[in-house]
Amino acid sequence: VCVCVLHFSECADLMTAGSRRCIVVSTLAEACFYADHGFDDIIYAYSLPFDKIERCAALSEKLDLFQVLLDHHDALQQLKRRPLKDGQLWHVWLKLDCGNGRAGVLHSEPEALSLARAIAGTEGVELTGIYAHCGNTYSCTGVEQIQAVAQDTTSCVLQFMEKLKAVGITCKSSIGSTPSCSHPVQDMSKLSEVHPGNYIFYDVQQSMIGSCSLEDVAVRVLTRVIGHCPQKDQLLIDCGWSAISLDGAGKLPTGYAIIEGHPDLKLSSMTQEHGRLEPISGHLDYSKYPLGTLLSLIPHHSCATAMMHPVYHVHSKGRLLGTWNPTRGW
Amino acid sequence: VCVCVLHFSECADLMTAGSRRCIVVSTLAEACFYADHGFDDIIYAYSLPFDKIERCAALSEKLDLFQVLLDHHDALQQLKRRPLKDGQLWHVWLKLDCGNGRAGVLHSEPEALSLARAIAGTEGVELTGIYAHCGNTYSCTGVEQIQAVAQDTTSCVLQFMEKLKAVGITCKSSIGSTPSCSHPVQDMSKLSEVHPGNYIFYDVQQSMIGSCSLEDVAVRVLTRVIGHCPQKDQLLIDCGWSAISLDGAGKLPTGYAIIEGHPDLKLSSMTQEHGRLEPISGHLDYSKYPLGTLLSLIPHHSCATAMMHPVYHVHSKGRLLGTWNPTRGW
């Protein structure tokens, strides 16, 4: 389970059904946070930053299973230079680039196989698995396109596993991204595991990609009308980029967010603490929006919005069930 | 002194030379934070949100001088409905719009004078001052343009003060914005005070507007090279939008930031934890950037960048002097 956008242990408890195992994080701060809250079997799914080797070593020595990810020979050298105590092994995933083009060693390059063999052959290090992040699903629209990328990534990984097998290496395999794991293809069952991303929150972006419907989105930012600007046919709200983020660059038909129940309104611009709402067509009826009116915004990207808040209020059927406090930093 | 972008008491101590008085904030969370740290004489420079009246009343009753700001008759009604105990007065600034076009009542509208008179004439409420935020300086380039806006805003406010005087009302006057207060015009000395904004940090945006030189910018984000992508002629760094923000929309010639000492590099795109550096022209020499290389980014907008970090490291002449912990929320 990928908890990298969530940053709080109550939610990770839900996602792991209380087992507190098998989680994926993207910052070491999260790894430490979860380790301190009794979680174990954590993958730090981020190309090993060299300045964090010592902290990774400490987690590896403390936890039952702490796993790192790398995509370069130099990173392997760093691990060799810091052997773990009592003969413990560094658990290493090799990051493969199967077309996403961000991090990872290209699956088609001979380099990929040679790095996998080097990891497997290094004393004090174990090749735990092969991982590919198919973030290229983010440019998809619709299930068909998502599944084409998911199939392509899965096939690349499975072919790579065959190459490994041919040189006598066996290990786990995994792919991940919110869209691909929302619409898995059959072949994904041949992988050891998947990393399903942000399925617990979703957002407008995921609904537009086709990962979910808008009804599946579980995050809102509440805001109030704090000003009337009839000269500009605008409402001023107390939600700026410090509350919802600049993610999406305001390119939704409704600007930086969807205003729930008001498809005619657009969040057209923001400063730090202020947002401006405009009618998409026609003119505003100010009598419908007295100062103090509460509005509910559905964020373009819930990870970016969640980053901006020190606390989340959890509710169900109109009842407040509790608050979640995210962790921050790296 | 405007501390609204800073959110921590050590810095506000510096800015007020230890007096812990005369500060301006843009969220009530900051007001409470500073009040809890022994600050007094605080202006909450934000069009009064109705859901925060009770918390504002508590601060007004606790502090020597807590000041609110409003721009609408309905907000005045809210204050009337919640008289302060022991005959204490609500200290109210009227927000005037002098051409900025965000919040505030238009200086040229009869409404402005009528609202000022209503505030001054309301029992339990004192008209403390007239305030105009000249955020329209943010679209300026160069000192001349900045000063033209500063002059225009100042003139509007001073003219409004004359109108008030003619009906027997005297109170303070103020304008504020980082560019205008960085290059004040003579007439600003006729105002009671100014709110100088983000002069203690500055950023690339302010250097481009003309508020400061790039050498004046006091904020950096440190990042490391974590990947080589020769297929795309890119370096991968461990700085995504979660570390520097999406402010500026990547429109600088160098993308989302300036890479100090490397004018040939551009931060062309980011995801949550990853950034991509490209050469502005020619090809990358990867031998100059081994994995682990430390790079220093100058942010487009330091307020947006500061928002993303749970701690700031303060240094001088290569020595670490301490850490500052910002407050968050509203």
Side-chain angles (χ1 to χ4, degrees), chain A residues 101-121:
Chain A
R102 189 172 67 182
V105 55
L106 253 184
H107 70 102
S108 53
E109 294 282 312
E111 174 70 8
L113 191 60
S114 93
L115 183 52
R117 295 179 77 161
I119 296 169

Side-chain angles (χ1 to χ4, degrees), chain A residues 46 102 271 273 307 328 330, chain B residues 46 271 273 307 328 330:
Chain A
Y46 193 79
R102 189 172 67 182
T271 49
E273 305 289 356
M307 269 287 300
R328 305 185 75 206
W330 297 265
Chain B
Y46 193 78
T271 49
E273 306 289 356
M307 270 286 300
R328 304 185 76 206
W330 296 265

Side-chain angles (χ1 to χ4, degrees), chain A residues 63 65 70 90 101 158 177 187 191 206 208 224 242 282 293:
Chain A
L63 295 180
L65 191 55
L70 58 79
W90 281 102
L158 292 175
S177 85
D187 270 358
L191 301 167
Q206 292 297 341
M208 292 179 77
R224 284 181 197 267
S242 64
T293 301

Side-chain angles (χ1 to χ4, degrees), chain B residues 235-280:
Chain B
L235 294 170
L236 201 67
I237 56 173
D238 64 351
C239 174
W241 50 249
S242 64
I244 201 151
S245 91
L246 289 163
D247 199 281
K251 289 184 181 163
L252 290 174
T254 55
Y256 286 91
I258 288 179
I259 298 95
E260 197 168 33
H262 299 276
D264 50 322
L265 291 180
K266 177 175 179 170
L267 179 52
S268 55
S269 71
M270 293 184 290
T271 49
Q272 186 159 350
E273 306 289 356
H274 295 88
R276 292 183 175 105
L277 292 179
E278 297 181 343
I280 287 177

Side-chain angles (χ1 to χ4, degrees), chain B residues 163-190:
Chain B
K163 286 192 215 173
L164 283 181
K165 204 170 151 191
V167 296
I169 297 173
T170 53
C171 65
K172 291 188 192 175
S173 56
S174 178
I175 75 161
S177 85
T178 305
S180 60
C181 297
S182 298
H183 297 291
V185 294
Q186 187 99 49
D187 269 357
M188 282 165 66
S189 63
K190 298 178 188 163

